[in-house]
Every structure is written in C-alpha cells, then in structure tokens.
Amino acid sequence: DSGVTQTPKHLITATGQRVTLRCSPRSGDLSVYWYQQSLDQGLQFLIQYYNGEERAKGNILERFSAQQFPDLHSELNLSSLELGDSALYFCASSVEAGYGYGYTFGSGTRLTVV
Amino acid sequence: GQNIDQPTEMTATEGAIVQINCTYQTSGFNGLFWYQQHAGEAPTFLSYNVLDGLEEKGRFSSFLSRSKGYSYLLLKELQMKDSASYLCAPINNKLIFGAGTRLAVHP
C-alpha cells in the first residue's frame, strides 16, 4: 500500500456519460497530480493541485475538470466520454510542489468506455 | 516547455548490465526522478538526483549531468523481473515523464 488511495479501481461506462475519479493523497502530502495512460502509451500529465489550488495544467481536455478539497482529497471529472478516453488514470501525491520529496502513485483507476 | 528523450525499447540478457539514457530540456530544474513501471501497474520510485554525479542504490544507479541535460539509469545483474518500462522525469514545478524505455530481459 503506497498510502495514495484511488477509487474506484475499475469503471466501465458508456460513451457520452460522466464519471468522477477520486484520489486521497498520502497523509501529510499537499500536492496532487493526475495522469492519463492509454494502452502502451506514456504517462500524460493532466493537472496538478497544491493545497487546494490549481498549480499546473498539462494536456487536459476541456471535457475534463478537477479540484482539490479542503481535506486535500482530489476528484477528476470526465464528461461526454468518448471511446478514446479509455485509459488508466493515476494520481500521485507529494509533500511539496516541484521538489523531490517523494512522489507516490496510487494504483490507478482503469476506465473503460464502451 | 519541457522536452524529454529516451530510447523506446531495449533488450538485455539476464545477469548483464544495461544503461538507459535520458536527455532533457526544461525551464527550471529541481532534480530528476527515475521510476519503474510494470505493465498495468503504478510507477514506483527508483532514484532521485539533484546534484551532478552518481547515486548508487543496490543494483540500480543513476547519474546526472545538469550542464549537459543528461541522465542515465544503470541496472546491474539483470533479473527477469526487471522487464518493465523505465521513466525519466525531470522536475520543475510539475512532474512530467518521458515516454519511457521498455526493457525486455531475456534468459
């Protein structure tokens, strides 16, 4: 157990639907990162939050949004889902934003859009 | 912006040594991570370099040259379980990964 909790582990949904992925960071970590990994592809950085505020954005689609709550957990919302959104979605957490204090990954949510 | 370059695939023999190179260009630099990722699993931390030189940790070592924008991961005494993708990730204010190097270890 890495200490970063992602739920659900698996999700199957239809095109056009909306889903919410949840991430609870490791205790004491303030920064949360979201990544998308399609089959046989690299990790694509989506968005980063630090202590409730958006810190950096990557290649995140307008159909996707995220937030970090006061208790530091984060949610990634994916809407108007398309077949191409099927992927593993990882979140990672760290103490500081941008420093090597240990970025720990959750086990991921596998999203399948049918 | 950020640009990270690693070989796509490498193969090696069990018991051998392999070096995986990474070159990068970043605006701002606060160190470089190497992660290992088995297919379908979460990346796991291997090493972190912030200063130039070699960091050794068991069978794995990582080298950094900040002036050259270059790092490598050295894996010794390769085992079958080392077959995985190896991800280079320089840090500025966010953690961006290279596409990764898929290493296949053969008997």
Side-chain angles (χ1 to χ4, degrees):
Chain A
D1 181 9
S2 68
V4 178
T5 303
Q6 289 189 248
T7 56
K9 291 194 184 310
H10 301 277
L11 196 52
I12 302 175
T13 190
T15 54
Q17 295 299 304
R18 182 179 190 276
V19 297
T20 298
L21 313 184
R22 181 187 171 104
C23 171
S24 293
R26 197 176 51 172
S27 178
D29 286 358
L30 301 177
S31 198
V32 170
Y33 304 78
W34 285 98
Y35 293 86
Q36 179 194 54
Q37 188 171 40
S38 302
L39 188 64
D40 293 332
Q41 298 295 311
L43 284 161
Q44 297 297 315
F45 170 69
L46 295 178
I47 198 164
Q48 178 203 348
Y49 283 85
Y50 177 74
N51 203 21
E53 294 187 1
E54 182 184 304
R55 182 60 66 93
K57 249 182 181 178
N59 299 320
I60 187 167
L61 300 172
E62 286 191 8
R63 299 184 287 109
F64 296 0
S65 65
Q67 55 184 328
Q68 186 179 26
F69 295 87
D71 67 352
L72 300 177
H73 91 272
S74 178
E75 293 181 356
L76 179 67
N77 301 297
L78 316 176
S79 62
S80 303
L81 283 167
E82 302 175 359
L83 295 178
D85 298 328
S86 296
L88 263 171
Y89 291 84
F90 288 106
C91 99
S93 73
S94 69
V95 173
E96 297 283 345
Y99 296 91
Y101 289 100
Y103 294 77
T104 304
F105 281 80
S107 57
T109 293
R110 182 175 296 278
L111 173 67
T112 303
V113 183
V114 297
Chain B
Q2 194 153 324
N3 189 40
I4 303 164
D5 192 29
Q6 300 178 236
T8 305
E9 293 185 352
M10 297 182 73
T11 59
T13 305
E14 194 174 17
I17 299 173
V18 71
Q19 178 175 313
I20 303 174
N21 296 322
C22 170
T23 57
Y24 63 88
Q25 292 176 309
T26 64
S27 52
F29 182 78
N30 290 316
L32 185 141
F33 280 124
W34 282 95
Y35 275 79
Q36 179 191 61
Q37 187 181 27
H38 288 97
E41 298 182 10
T44 55
F45 169 81
L46 288 178
S47 69
Y48 171 62
N49 295 66
V50 65
L51 299 175
D52 290 352
L54 188 67
E55 294 279 343
E56 297 185 76
K57 187 187 291 186
R59 293 189 300 115
F60 294 178
S61 303
S62 56
F63 172 83
L64 176 67
S65 169
R66 289 171 295 172
S67 63
K68 295 181 179 178
Y70 169 68
S71 175
Y72 67 73
L73 181 69
L74 193 70
L75 294 77
K76 303 175 187 175
E77 301 170 18
L78 281 170
Q79 302 175 10
M80 298 296 291
K81 67 178 182 179
D82 297 329
S83 293
S85 288
Y86 291 86
L87 312 174
C88 165
I91 311 157
N92 44 30
N93 64 337
K94 54 191 175 189
L95 186 58
I96 305 291
F97 288 90
T101 299
R102 190 176 302 178
L103 174 66
V105 180
H106 299 290

